[in-house]
């Protein structure tokens, strides 16, 4: 399983874009990058995933570098409700059947008014 | 869609008691799993199921049993509660295949064992 590295914490002003980086330099060709977040006292929430192309949905955008060794999750207009721990997770495209998600320490994003 | 629901939200048990944590989903997902989250730590997989009648162990299965008689329900049984099982328990579900890791989590059950 590819290891991911994220900064432990980040601040962002409300209304501004929040850019959360993730390094996954050992990622292999069949592994996807997933992003989840966990708001305090709630269950983790799926945000987005991608393989090599940039992806966008109603919650966020995911930018993956061409060499796929790093990615950035972008919340375009952060609100106070986006304050959470954000997890970058690398998993294979071909499921190993366990479906196990490996949550590391993540990045604690604090959105400030 | 209610999504993934878990009951109870909170539970206090005495050492040695048994109980069942309930998990249900209404998305017709084949894959379901149970995690525990200890304070300041990541989630650890307890048991998982890839479909009705099929279950398997995750990384911390000891002290827990599961069964999957229907697609919708995946209860977690604590056989003889111990203080080390004090934790927050999350249930998750998804479809298999390429979206296996796009998982939907319930709100959690906060369990305290005294």
């Amino acid at each position: 399983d590819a290891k991911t590295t994220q900064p432990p914490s980040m601040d962002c002003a409300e209304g501004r874009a929040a850019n959360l980086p993730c390094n996954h330099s050992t990622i292999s060709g069949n592994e996807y990058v997933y992003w989840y977040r966990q708001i305090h006292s709630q269950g983790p929430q799926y945000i987005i995933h991608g393989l090599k192309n940039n992806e966008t949905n109603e919650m966020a955008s995911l930018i993956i570098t061409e060499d796929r060794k790093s990615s950035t999750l972008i919340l375009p207009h952060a609100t106070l409700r986006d304050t959470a721990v954000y997890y970058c997770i690398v998993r294979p495209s071909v499921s190993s059947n366990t479906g196990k998600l490996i949550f590391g320490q993540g990045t604690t994003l604090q959105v400030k008014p | 869609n209610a999504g993934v629901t878990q009951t109870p939200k909170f539970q206090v048990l005495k050492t040695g008691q048994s109980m069942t944590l309930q998990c249900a989903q209404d998305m017709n997902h084949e894959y379901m799993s149970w995690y525990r989250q200890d304070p300041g730590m990541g989630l650890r997989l307890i048991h998982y199921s890839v479909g009705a009648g099929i279950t398997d162990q995750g990384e911390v299965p000891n002290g827990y049993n599961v069964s999957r008689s229907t697609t919708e329900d995946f209860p977690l049984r604590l056989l003889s509660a111990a203080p080390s099982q004090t934790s927050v328990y999350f249930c998750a579900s998804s479809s298999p295949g390429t979206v296996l890791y796009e998982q939907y989590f319930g709100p959690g059950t906060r369990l305290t064992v005294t």
Side-chain angles (χ1 to χ4, degrees):
Chain A
D1 297 339
K3 178 180 166 56
T4 62
T5 303
Q6 299 178 253
S9 64
M10 293 181 64
D11 289 343
C12 176
E14 189 178 18
R16 304 297 295 269
N19 297 293
L20 292 95
C22 179
N23 284 327
H24 32 78
S25 59
T26 60
I27 194 170
S28 58
N30 70 342
E31 290 182 314
Y32 281 72
V33 179
Y34 285 80
W35 282 83
Y36 279 77
R37 72 180 182 184
Q38 188 171 24
I39 296 170
H40 182 61
S41 297
Q42 298 183 22
Q45 178 187 23
Y46 165 82
I47 301 173
I48 197 167
H49 74 278
L51 181 63
K52 54 184 178 181
N53 297 322
N54 298 338
E55 303 287 345
T56 295
N57 63 19
E58 65 278 5
M59 288 183 67
S61 294
L62 175 60
I63 308 297
I64 303 174
T65 58
E66 193 168 342
D67 62 9
R68 303 207 324 120
K69 292 185 177 182
S70 66
S71 61
T72 301
L73 178 74
I74 300 172
L75 307 178
H77 305 287
T79 71
L80 298 178
R81 288 174 296 182
D82 291 321
T83 293
V85 180
Y86 287 77
Y87 297 97
C88 168
I89 301 169
V90 172
R91 296 306 291 162
S93 60
V94 177
S95 75
S96 61
N97 267 3
T98 71
K100 175 182 170 182
L101 290 168
I102 301 172
F103 292 85
Q105 294 305 306
T107 296
T108 298
L109 175 69
Q110 181 73 48
V111 180
K112 298 186 174 181
Chain B
N1 274 355
V4 179
T5 57
Q6 292 183 238
T7 56
K9 286 188 169 52
F10 301 93
Q11 182 71 50
V12 178
L13 291 178
K14 294 187 187 306
T15 297
Q17 288 185 315
S18 62
M19 78 159 294
T20 299
L21 279 61
Q22 301 292 343
C23 174
Q25 53 90 12
D26 61 0
M27 297 174 282
N28 202 31
H29 285 166
E30 294 180 34
Y31 176 89
M32 295 184 75
S33 61
W34 277 100
Y35 288 85
R36 61 176 287 175
Q37 185 173 34
D38 299 324
M41 296 184 64
L43 280 77
R44 292 184 290 171
L45 183 65
I46 305 172
H47 284 286
Y48 66 96
S49 168
V50 297
I54 306 170
T55 64
D56 209 341
Q57 296 181 353
E59 58 184 310
V60 288
N62 291 342
Y64 308 94
N65 271 357
V66 291
S67 60
R68 185 93 179 271
S69 57
T70 67
T71 300
E72 295 78 18
D73 301 297
F74 191 43
L76 178 72
R77 281 184 291 277
L78 278 69
L79 309 172
S80 177
S84 61
Q85 294 179 305
T86 293
S87 190
V88 182
Y89 291 83
F90 292 104
C91 179
S93 74
S94 74
S95 293
T98 58
V99 293
L100 177 63
Y101 298 103
E102 182 182 330
Q103 297 184 10
Y104 296 86
F105 285 78
T109 293
R110 283 146 187 81
L111 175 68
T112 301
V113 183
T114 62

